[in-house]
Amino acid sequence: MAEFLFTTDAEMKSTTLLNGNVDPDKYKFSISLAMDSVVEPLLGTELYDKIAAEAEANTLSGLYLTLYNEYVKPITKYAGLSEYLLIASYTLDNAGLFVRTPENAVSVDKEEAEFLASKYMSKATKYIGRFEKWIGLNPLTEYKHNQDGIDAQDIAPSAGWYF
């Protein structure tokens, strides 16, 4: 069974610069990575697991449905695309690592990819800020500021390559 993701291919392709011809297998791992590295630390494991299980079963309701639709999905979508933009032009196969350059196209350089990635991560960060205000007004028992060794208030996602 495929891993449940907080955003769909149709949502990704209709609300971002992701072209409809892009094979979902090329970017789904980036969505999963965003869920693991941005969304789960933000929500904490207990709330994350509840949202994931009920979203997959299509049984979310009330505040949980609001949280999912208005915050979790957009954060996942934009953070996932931000991750993907940094590596989208690369292909790794049995012959090695390649940069794809389709006919009549020019690959963007690293700085341009980082610029686009940071633009999408800033969209995710905007929703994170909205979530933080919302959760303060709508406390959920599963949400804890400090859980699993992660302080939810210290989560500050970023995009780009830093050495």
Side-chain angles (χ1 to χ4, degrees):
M1 184 172 167
E3 175 186 13
F4 177 76
L5 300 175
F6 289 155
T7 188
T8 66
D9 298 332
E11 290 167 334
M12 291 295 295
K13 292 176 180 180
S14 68
T15 61
T16 69
L17 63 75
L18 198 60
N19 184 298
N21 293 330
V22 176
D23 181 359
D25 289 338
K26 296 284 187 187
Y27 63 85
K28 281 188 174 181
F29 76 93
S30 296
I31 303 299
S32 180
L33 180 62
M35 289 169 56
D36 292 343
S37 64
V38 177
V39 179
E40 185 174 7
L42 180 68
L43 300 178
T45 302
E46 190 176 333
L47 181 55
Y48 177 91
D49 287 347
K50 178 178 179 61
I51 294 290
E54 291 188 15
E56 185 171 20
N58 200 25
T59 58
L60 283 169
S61 62
L63 292 176
Y64 298 99
L65 182 59
T66 300
L67 171 62
Y68 181 67
N69 286 328
E70 294 185 21
Y71 305 101
V72 171
K73 288 173 77 73
I75 292 167
T76 302
K77 175 176 59 174
Y78 294 131
L81 184 56
S82 175
E83 290 287 339
Y84 180 64
L85 284 168
L86 295 172
I87 51 91
S89 62
Y90 297 99
T91 299
L92 180 61
D93 64 21
N94 291 337
L97 181 63
F98 300 94
V99 176
R100 292 187 313 268
T101 53
E103 289 183 34
N104 302 322
V106 177
S107 290
V108 299
D109 61 25
K110 177 184 163 195
E111 289 78 24
E112 289 176 294
E114 287 177 345
F115 170 77
L116 284 173
S118 72
K119 293 297 274 182
Y120 275 98
M121 188 52 78
S122 72
K123 290 178 182 294
T125 302
K126 177 180 73 173
Y127 281 95
I128 290 170
R130 290 178 181 176
F131 161 76
E132 289 169 347
K133 290 177 186 173
W134 181 87
I135 198 71
L137 299 172
N138 300 283
L140 300 172
T141 57
E142 298 86 358
Y143 179 76
K144 297 165 180 69
H145 288 287
N146 195 324
Q147 180 174 295
D148 302 330
I150 297 171
D151 185 350
Q153 295 180 359
D154 286 341
I155 303 303
S158 61
W161 297 329
Y162 301 97
F163 300 98

